[in-house]
Amino acid sequence: MGRPLHGPNPSLFARWYIALMHRPLPNRRATDTSDDAAQAQYRVMRAMSPGRKVALVEDANRTARRLALAGIQMRFPDASDEERSRRLIDLILGEELAGQAFGPRGPARGR
């Protein structure tokens, strides 16, 4: 098991995380969010367990992938499921890295 978050010898990540969670609130916020609402949002986020924060990030990533895939399906309606998946991988990794990891993409259909 890794080093503890608190105690005599917290890990580097733990020290970074603790500093991050206790730093002053950033001045950047959505233009339609009042200072009071932004403060409340940060209080809620700081009170969340690490597991809950990870779950929220996972959910946001899953939603982003679904939206990206929907856009691919709209732009390439005749593409196979395999081609759609590869286009999604290209978006996530970038075409160069995806090509290195998975080889060149086959000829496009539905252009």
Side-chain angles (χ1 to χ4, degrees):
M1 181 140 160
R3 292 169 66 181
L5 285 180
H6 297 285
N9 296 310
S11 69
L12 179 62
F13 172 78
R15 290 192 307 265
W16 169 84
Y17 180 79
I18 292 166
L20 179 69
M21 289 295 101
H22 293 75
R23 73 176 192 266
L25 293 177
N27 292 328
R28 290 177 278 147
R29 62 174 170 80
T31 56
D32 64 345
T33 304
S34 71
D35 288 336
D36 289 341
Q39 295 274 341
Q41 288 174 337
Y42 282 109
R43 277 194 304 275
V44 168
M45 286 187 277
R46 285 180 173 157
M48 282 183 203
S49 71
R52 178 66 179 140
K53 290 174 189 174
V54 168
L56 289 173
V57 170
E58 288 174 340
D59 187 50
N61 284 331
R62 193 173 20 260
T63 299
R65 284 191 181 99
R66 286 180 182 158
L67 289 170
L69 188 56
I72 291 167
Q73 290 170 337
M74 288 176 63
R75 289 190 305 275
F76 304 98
D78 297 329
S80 67
D81 288 343
E82 183 179 333
E83 183 181 344
R84 290 176 183 164
S85 293
R86 176 53 191 267
R87 287 183 179 279
L88 180 61
I89 290 168
D90 287 353
L91 282 174
I92 293 169
L93 297 179
E95 289 183 28
E96 183 179 347
L97 182 57
Q100 291 173 5
F102 299 100
R105 187 174 55 198
R109 295 186 298 172
R111 282 189 177 213

